[in-house]
């Protein structure tokens, strides 16, 4: 799709944050993803033109990081951690149960376009295993039932609040804009670091 003059102006403002414009490649990929829901070929070409990079260079970055999608995902993209600790704490069970519940495979999208599922690697939240992320927001200490409830709520347009961060779960496109550096001001409204994360700090400071 063609980009509007307003969208191109936003891209220019993102590029202007950096002393070397090629440094804007990752936020620009998130921004393109916030428009169409995934990184389109048109987006890759435009980023290349803007940053004086070859299309192949932009594609190389886009395909290296799993946060960038080359095809549409759901309005609520559910990442289930199946790395070692989460897996043994129930992540593998959750992953299998949710795929069966939604009748989709890994990287699949429900027929209504609302929910997609993928297994993800460690998200550095092992103290809350098993961890599920939706549009990169944390859902800690999950169970098979809680994630079934989560995806059912998302399909009904009423997902539960993330455990930490924003108090309302925003859509995949909306959170892609946040990752591009376009703040919605919500990141700090809910709980930040949880009790298990702060325990080591307390001990280091001589507390309980
Ligand atoms: S193993 Fe799942 S968050 Fe670290």
């Amino acid at each position: 799709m063609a980009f509007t003059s307003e969208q191109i102006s936003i891209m220019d403002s993102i590029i202007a944050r950096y002393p070397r414009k090629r440094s804007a490649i990752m936020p620009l990929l998130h921004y393109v993803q916030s428009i169409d829901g995934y990184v389109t070929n048109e987006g890759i070409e435009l980023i290349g033109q803007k940053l004086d990079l070859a299309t192949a260079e932009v594609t190389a970055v886009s395909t290296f990081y799993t946060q960038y999608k080359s095809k549409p995902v759901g309005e609520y993209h559910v990442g289930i951690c199946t790395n070692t600790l989460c897996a043994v704490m129930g992540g593998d069970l959750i992953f299998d149960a949710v795929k069966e519940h939604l009748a989709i495979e890994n990287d699949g999208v429900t027929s209504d376009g609302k929910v997609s599922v993928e297994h993800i690697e460690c998200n550095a939240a092992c103290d809350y295993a098993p961890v599920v992320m939706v549009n990169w927001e944390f859902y800690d200490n999950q169970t098979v039932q809680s994630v079934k409830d989560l995806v059912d709520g998302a399909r009904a347009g009423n997902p539960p609040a993330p455990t930490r961060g924003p108090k309302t779960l925003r859509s995949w496109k909306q959170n892609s804009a946040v990752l591009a550096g376009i703040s919605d001001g919500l990141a700090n409204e809910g709980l930040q670091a949880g009790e298990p994360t702060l325990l080591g700090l307390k001990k280091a400071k001589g507390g309980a």
Side-chain angles (χ1 to χ4, degrees):
M1 87 168 214
F3 291 87
T4 66
S5 56
E6 184 187 355
Q7 289 165 343
I8 290 173
S9 160
I10 290 172
M11 293 175 85
D12 288 337
S13 69
I14 291 171
I15 294 167
R17 294 179 198 148
Y18 298 91
R20 297 174 67 207
K21 59 184 179 180
R22 65 184 297 153
S23 301
I25 187 168
M26 295 183 75
L28 286 184
L29 285 166
H30 283 300
Y31 182 64
V32 162
Q33 200 155 246
S34 79
I35 297 168
D36 285 321
Y38 68 106
V39 180
T40 59
N41 289 338
E42 293 82 1
I44 286 176
E45 283 172 17
L46 180 58
I47 291 171
Q49 289 167 18
K50 286 281 179 191
L51 303 184
D52 292 332
L53 294 172
T55 303
E57 291 176 287
V58 182
T59 303
V61 174
S62 179
T63 54
F64 180 81
Y65 295 100
T66 55
Q67 289 94 336
Y68 301 122
K69 305 301 180 191
S70 59
K71 61 182 183 180
V73 296
E75 183 178 345
Y76 299 98
H77 184 61
V78 179
I80 298 166
C81 181
T82 54
N83 215 238
T84 309
L85 185 56
C86 283
V88 299
M89 294 292 285
D92 280 347
L93 284 176
I94 292 171
F95 184 53
D96 289 341
V98 170
K99 283 188 298 178
E100 186 180 347
H101 183 64
L102 296 173
I104 57 176
E105 293 299 322
N106 185 36
D107 285 336
V109 185
T110 53
S111 56
D112 56 8
K114 288 284 186 184
V115 173
S116 50
V117 170
E118 73 170 331
H119 78 89
I120 56 175
E121 301 298 329
C122 179
N123 273 265
C126 315
D127 35 1
Y128 305 100
V131 172
V132 169
M133 302 195 81
V134 184
N135 300 341
W136 308 120
E137 303 294 357
F138 284 106
Y139 288 80
D140 300 335
N141 302 312
Q142 293 296 289
T143 64
V144 166
Q145 190 58 51
S146 70
V147 182
K148 284 183 180 176
D149 293 343
L150 169 55
V151 296
D152 288 347
R155 292 188 85 178
N158 187 30
T163 310
R164 291 174 276 138
K167 290 183 176 173
T168 306
L169 178 62
R170 309 264 278 162
S171 73
W172 171 259
K173 289 183 181 179
Q174 288 168 325
N175 272 5
S176 293
V178 173
L179 290 170
I182 303 167
S183 175
D184 59 9
L186 302 179
N188 295 327
E189 67 177 2
L191 179 70
Q192 301 297 298
E195 194 59 32
T197 307
L198 296 173
L199 197 56
L201 185 63
K202 279 185 189 163
K203 284 190 180 294
K205 287 183 173 175

